[in-house]
């Protein structure tokens, strides 16, 4: 876990440098990040008219029950994939 966690933290920093990500790609990263750092989404769903927060909430909710370690791996792999596109 330590190696995976270290890689995850490194990729979190590197993800800030990614540009030209589509909304869907950003939401996927967000969902994995929240699942990896917090776990299942137990927060109340935002107001329907708060589109941005609702999209983020849904992205995280879709990752429900993904183990934290798996979410870290998937997040890191996704960042690597987008780094290759640069």
């Amino acid at each position: 876990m330590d190696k995976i966690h270290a890689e995850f933290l490194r990729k979190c920093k590197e993800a800030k440098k990614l540009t030209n990500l589509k909304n869907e790609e950003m939401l996927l990263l967000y969902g994995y990040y929240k699942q990896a750092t917090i776990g299942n989404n137990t927060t109340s769903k935002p107001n329907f008219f708060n589109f941005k927060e609702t999209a983020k909430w849904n992205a995280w909710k879709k990752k429900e029950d993904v183990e934290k370690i798996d979410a870290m791996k998937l997040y890191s792999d996704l960042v690597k994939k987008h780094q290759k596109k640069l």
Side-chain angles (χ1 to χ4, degrees):
M1 166 107 173
D2 291 329
K3 183 178 177 183
I4 294 168
H5 189 251
E7 174 77 3
F8 172 72
L9 293 176
R10 188 170 41 259
K11 291 301 173 188
C12 287
K13 290 178 184 176
E14 293 173 7
K16 294 176 183 178
K17 297 176 186 174
L18 293 176
T19 57
N20 299 325
L21 291 177
K22 296 177 184 176
N23 283 339
E24 297 83 27
E25 295 164 333
M26 289 191 302
L27 288 169
L28 190 57
L29 281 172
Y30 177 83
Y32 284 130
Y33 176 82
K34 294 296 271 187
Q35 191 67 20
T37 57
I38 297 174
N40 286 342
N41 183 351
T42 59
T43 63
S44 299
K45 189 170 186 173
N47 183 302
F48 174 78
F49 295 105
N50 190 342
F51 301 116
K52 181 179 178 181
E53 293 304 315
T54 299
K56 289 167 61 177
W57 188 90
N58 286 330
W60 181 13
K61 194 70 171 172
K62 287 178 184 176
K63 305 303 172 220
E64 195 166 62
D65 295 329
V66 173
E67 295 292 327
K68 286 186 177 190
I69 192 82
D70 293 332
M72 286 182 195
K73 289 178 191 175
L74 291 165
Y75 180 93
S76 296
D77 290 345
L78 196 55
V79 172
K80 286 179 202 174
K81 175 185 167 187
H82 289 293
Q83 287 175 321
K84 289 179 182 178
K85 291 181 180 180
L86 296 178

